Amino acid sequence: MSILDNKIPEGPLAEKWNKHKAAIKVVSPANKRKLEIIVVGTGLGGASAAASLAELGYKVKAFCYQDSPRRAHSIAAQGGINAAKNYQNDNDSVYRLFYDTIKGGDYRAREANVYRLAEVSPNIIDQCVAQGVPFGREYGGLLDNRSFGGVLVSRTFYARGQTGQQLLIGAYQALNRQISKGAVEMYNRHEMLDLVKIDGKARGIIARDLVSGEIKRFGAHAVVVATGGYGNVFFLSTNAMGSNGSVAWQCYKRGAFMSNPCFVQIHPTCIPVHGDQQSKLTLMSESLRNDGRVWVPKKKEDAVKLQKGELHPNDIADEDRDFYLERRYPSYGNLVPRDVASRAAKERCDAGFGVNSEGKAVFLDFKYAIDRLGKSVIEARYGNLFQMYEKITDVDPYKAPMMIYPAIHYSMGGTWVDYNLMTSVPGLYSIGEANFSDHGANRLGASALMQGLADGYFVLPYTIGDYLADEIMTPMADTNAPEFAAVEKEVTDRIEKLYNIKGSKPVDYFHKKLGQVMWDYVGMARNAEGLKKAIEMIKEIRAEFWKDVRIPGELDNLNPELEKAGRVADFFDIGELMARDALDRNESCGGHFREESATEEGEAKRNDEEFTYVSCWEYKGEGAEPDMHKEDLVFENVKLTQRSYK
């Protein structure tokens, strides 16, 4: 039995959001001034939410662990942002964006949430253009579009290869305006370490000043979590090294359900791993697949020569190149969804056709596009990405193909939220990548920026009022209350316990061991035996961590190793829950590929009869196995079919 109310409104799909906005409660301007909201995280979701809520009149406290909101990881997004504008007159529509997103997520997302995302997407572009975001334009001055994986239209707006950066600057400007007005109190270099509940409602947080080491209490009428995903559980990912899942995990331990944690995205176009001392991986934008062709040699002997450095890729004739995505998926070609492209690359490399010294890479070749369009056109489209690639690899992609390989990139799973974006804890909201709501089992490219800004600018500012309308007579949370004192003591006790272990191995030693287990058994391909093994191995590494980790420096001072230790301690628990969720979901869907559930051609094979649901995990205490609840997914507007991109 499900104990969850997703609050999805009744009525036709295209009318749900407008009807819902008309039905929910509203807070008057005078009463908004009485209410305080904490926003944790200042990426696209957090910055847009904090700015919008402050603009409405709420008092906002915003927190980020970076030294500036502008350093949030949203800045790293490259390729673009989707919106159903149909500027190319190629038959795009709100419904087509909705359908592509549902299908791309392998039918494991809510219809209502995804349709709302598509519905508000055009507003995002208007908002960002008004802010001065320098989207790419055609010669006549109109906004340009490019294509991304899993779709047959061009709906992606972009700012060269640095779209996330430009969008974040826009949101940062809006946030700074509110900071200058005194409507937002900005707390840089502060990390949320726990959630405080009073009478069952989220009423504040405990945070650590990362410069001084001081533990502080902050109260509010509602808390909004916008802290991104947990991909760094794998150690090597495209995420910033500071990105972590700790805030979402602390909320989980305070009663917020965690949904679909096994759904993580493998991005097919990343610079391959080079050596065992690497600390992160670098993304090459999916937009490159518009003009780059993916291939490996047809002959295994050519692949062996490439691996040994005895052959240059330009010396392999076209007829001896296997453009395997174009061969397998003629309709979509190189622009199949990320999960499909990633598994295809892994299959070719596992078969012995990999092209780097480890046999773990394929080529992304721009020779054909340069011949067709000219170097200047390609340089205008992707110049900064090509420059980045050359700086890292010392290979000029104008003259030789890029080498790419899949890597961990995004978390589709996350905190469970209802249609209002509120978690199972009243007054606690989760937006952007931190929640589970919009992408199902696989996110389409250029949709992360869309979701973050949709939630922050156009959804949360409406829905949070429905809750806060009943809180206008509630006084400000007293940070001297016993609930705050109790949670602060738990936080300080945990920090002191970590610091006083005084073991022999650094934090990264354990993080790398965990990451290897996750990649080997909870990565691109999973099976029951491996997942059970992973759960036991994670328990062993965690036990070793709590006995033998070494944290240098001072307890009450700037101490990056102490910060890292707390995050890695949470990664052990997150990794175990991911493996449990993957073990329970005995089907293949999107980025979750169970070897026991595959078609004859090796594609993901869903089991709709048993697994058309959202898994919702409930924390039951330290060392206890969590309970799983199920939110059934109901499809009234699309027909569930086995995905095909052929």
Side-chain angles (χ1 to χ4, degrees):
M1 289 289 292
S2 174
I3 62 172
L4 300 164
D5 178 9
N6 58 29
K7 292 187 171 62
I8 293 175
E10 298 293 328
L13 185 66
E15 298 175 11
K16 286 183 187 291
W17 177 228
N18 283 330
K19 284 187 173 181
H20 187 67
K21 285 190 292 183
I24 57 179
K25 299 167 190 170
V26 177
V27 181
S28 73
N31 284 327
K32 286 188 176 88
R33 293 193 291 270
K34 302 176 185 177
L35 299 169
E36 293 202 33
I37 301 170
I38 285 172
V39 178
V40 186
T42 57
L44 288 179
S48 60
S52 300
L53 294 169
E55 184 79 44
L56 286 170
Y58 295 108
K59 298 177 182 177
V60 177
K61 297 187 182 86
F63 295 80
C64 68
Y65 69 78
Q66 298 93 343
D67 55 7
S68 164
R70 258 203 67 186
R71 294 179 70 89
H73 187 57
S74 297
I75 205 167
Q78 296 171 356
I81 177 170
N82 290 327
K85 284 283 198 180
N86 193 34
Y87 280 173
Q88 302 302 314
N89 199 30
D90 55 1
N91 199 19
D92 198 12
S93 64
V94 167
Y95 184 86
R96 190 178 294 278
L97 174 52
F98 153 74
Y99 181 77
D100 286 344
T101 305
I102 284 282
K103 178 183 175 183
D106 221 350
Y107 306 94
R108 292 296 177 260
R110 292 182 189 142
E111 280 190 339
N113 287 60
V114 176
Y115 192 90
R116 176 176 63 187
L117 176 65
E119 187 179 353
V120 304
S121 66
N123 300 341
I124 300 170
I125 304 305
D126 297 340
Q127 168 87 359
C128 295
V129 168
Q131 290 173 337
V133 172
F135 285 124
R137 294 179 181 266
E138 295 174 342
Y139 180 76
L142 300 176
L143 293 176
D144 195 14
N145 294 109
R146 55 173 50 148
S147 297
F148 260 61
V151 303
L152 295 174
V153 296
S154 296
R155 65 164 68 102
T156 304
F157 296 79
Y158 64 93
R160 215 175 184 192
Q162 47 188 240
T163 313
Q165 179 180 6
Q166 299 303 325
L167 291 172
L168 186 60
I169 289 171
Y172 175 66
Q173 289 172 175
L175 176 61
N176 265 353
R177 178 168 173 268
Q178 299 303 321
I179 293 171
S180 68
K181 290 172 62 178
V184 174
E185 290 180 53
M186 187 67 230
Y187 292 89
N188 300 333
R189 303 294 283 136
H190 281 69
E191 182 171 23
M192 174 180 163
L193 295 181
D194 215 331
L195 177 74
V196 179
K197 295 197 302 183
I198 298 177
D199 297 329
K201 299 177 180 179
R203 294 305 308 276
I205 67 171
I206 304 297
R208 182 172 183 267
D209 184 327
L210 299 181
V211 176
S212 68
E214 181 184 358
I215 304 297
K216 300 178 181 179
R217 308 174 186 181
F218 298 92
H221 293 89
V223 176
V224 179
V225 168
T227 51
Y230 46 85
N232 274 348
V233 68
F234 289 84
F235 186 71
L236 288 178
S237 81
T238 66
N239 292 179
M241 289 180 65
S243 298
N244 63 86
S246 288
V247 170
W249 191 252
Q250 298 312 320
C251 293
Y252 165 73
K253 293 172 78 171
R254 294 292 174 192
F257 292 1
M258 185 72 79
S259 284
N260 299 339
C262 76
F263 289 168
V264 289
Q265 179 162 84
I266 316 287
H267 198 294
T269 53
C270 300
I271 297 178
V273 176
H274 54 274
D276 58 5
Q277 297 303 310
Q278 199 166 347
S279 56
K280 77 176 300 294
L281 297 174
T282 303
L283 173 72
M284 287 285 103
S285 170
E286 178 166 318
S287 62
L288 294 169
R289 287 197 274 146
N290 273 278
D291 290 306
R293 299 180 71 186
V294 180
W295 65 275
V296 294
K298 286 182 179 178
K299 301 174 183 175
K300 192 169 288 188
E301 54 265 34
D302 285 345
V304 172
K305 288 179 181 178
L306 287 167
Q307 292 164 14
K308 293 180 178 179
E310 297 173 355
L311 183 65
H312 192 278
N314 290 349
D315 294 332
I316 298 177
D318 280 9
E319 58 268 24
D320 292 327
R321 299 181 176 193
D322 178 13
F323 300 95
Y324 59 87
L325 291 178
E326 299 171 30
R327 169 172 57 83
R328 294 184 186 180
Y329 311 102
S331 291
Y332 287 76
N334 294 295
L335 285 173
V336 291
R338 292 173 176 179
D339 60 316
V340 176
S342 294
R343 281 194 293 273
K346 181 179 186 295
E347 185 278 328
R348 288 290 79 196
C349 291
D350 288 350
F353 293 92
V355 298
N356 68 351
S357 57
E358 291 82 20
K360 298 291 185 183
V362 299
F363 288 128
L364 181 62
D365 201 335
F366 294 87
K367 176 177 89 74
Y368 308 94
I370 291 171
D371 290 345
R372 176 169 51 91
L373 300 169
K375 180 181 176 182
S376 60
V377 173
I378 298 302
E379 189 171 9
R381 291 178 180 176
Y382 313 114
N384 65 311
L385 299 173
F386 278 40
Q387 182 185 39
M388 186 194 316
Y389 183 86
E390 185 173 5
K391 282 191 173 184
I392 292 172
T393 65
D394 197 28
V395 173
D396 182 352
Y398 294 106
K399 299 177 180 177
M402 289 183 178
M403 287 188 187
I404 56 167
Y405 194 70
I408 296 292
H409 179 58
Y410 186 88
S411 310
M412 283 80 67
T415 310
W416 181 89
V417 292
D418 62 18
Y419 192 66
N420 289 336
L421 303 182
M422 188 160 73
T423 70
S424 46
V425 174
L428 176 65
Y429 291 78
S430 181
I431 64 175
E433 189 180 356
N435 73 31
F436 87 99
S437 70
D438 291 355
H439 304 297
N442 175 65
R443 177 176 67 76
L444 291 184
S447 288
L449 308 186
M450 176 174 62
Q451 187 205 352
L453 292 179
D455 288 354
Y457 282 137
F458 298 111
V459 179
L460 183 71
Y462 291 96
T463 60
I464 200 169
D466 192 47
Y467 171 79
L468 290 175
D470 295 327
E471 299 295 317
I472 57 177
M473 300 304 293
T474 303
M476 183 59 206
D478 179 9
T479 55
N480 293 316
E483 291 88 346
F484 275 89
V487 176
E488 182 182 326
K489 186 177 187 304
E490 289 181 35
V491 167
T492 53
D493 287 350
R494 184 174 189 254
I495 291 174
E496 289 173 2
K497 181 181 178 182
L498 267 173
Y499 182 74
N500 290 322
I501 292 171
K502 305 295 184 187
S504 63
K505 296 183 179 68
V507 177
D508 277 356
Y509 168 83
F510 298 100
H511 195 180
K512 286 180 179 179
K513 287 186 72 173
L514 171 66
Q516 194 63 54
V517 170
M518 294 299 295
W519 181 252
D520 288 346
Y521 302 109
V522 200
M524 290 176 66
R526 304 158 174 180
N527 58 60
E529 182 183 354
L531 291 165
K532 291 174 184 175
K533 184 177 180 180
I535 292 169
E536 296 308 312
M537 292 177 76
I538 291 168
K539 289 178 179 178
E540 292 170 7
I541 302 168
R542 177 171 52 208
E544 185 187 358
F545 170 86
W546 282 100
K547 288 178 184 174
D548 200 27
V549 70
R550 181 183 76 248
I551 302 172
E554 300 175 18
L555 183 64
D556 300 321
N557 207 333
L558 176 69
N559 192 335
E561 284 298 299
L562 183 60
E563 299 165 29
K564 196 190 301 181
R567 297 165 188 166
V568 171
D570 292 333
F571 277 143
F572 289 119
D573 299 337
I574 294 170
E576 183 180 342
L577 187 64
M578 290 172 65
R580 286 185 184 279
D581 191 47
L583 184 61
D584 173 80
R585 190 173 285 276
N586 190 16
E587 66 160 352
S588 293
C589 56
H592 168 64
F593 187 76
R594 283 288 297 266
E595 293 174 346
E596 303 94 331
S597 184
T599 66
E600 291 182 2
E601 296 174 321
E603 304 287 355
K605 183 180 180 181
R606 292 196 324 273
N607 180 346
D608 293 332
E609 289 186 11
E610 295 184 53
F611 296 101
T612 308
Y613 62 77
V614 175
S615 65
C616 309
W617 294 90
E618 180 183 8
Y619 182 71
K620 303 303 288 186
E622 199 74 39
E625 291 195 9
D627 281 350
M628 193 193 49
H629 309 277
K630 298 177 181 179
E631 179 197 334
D632 292 332
L633 291 169
V634 179
F635 292 92
E636 300 172 336
N637 300 276
V638 298
K639 182 181 179 182
L640 274 67
T641 59
Q642 199 67 38
R643 278 192 317 171
S644 173
Y645 292 95
K646 294 185 181 301

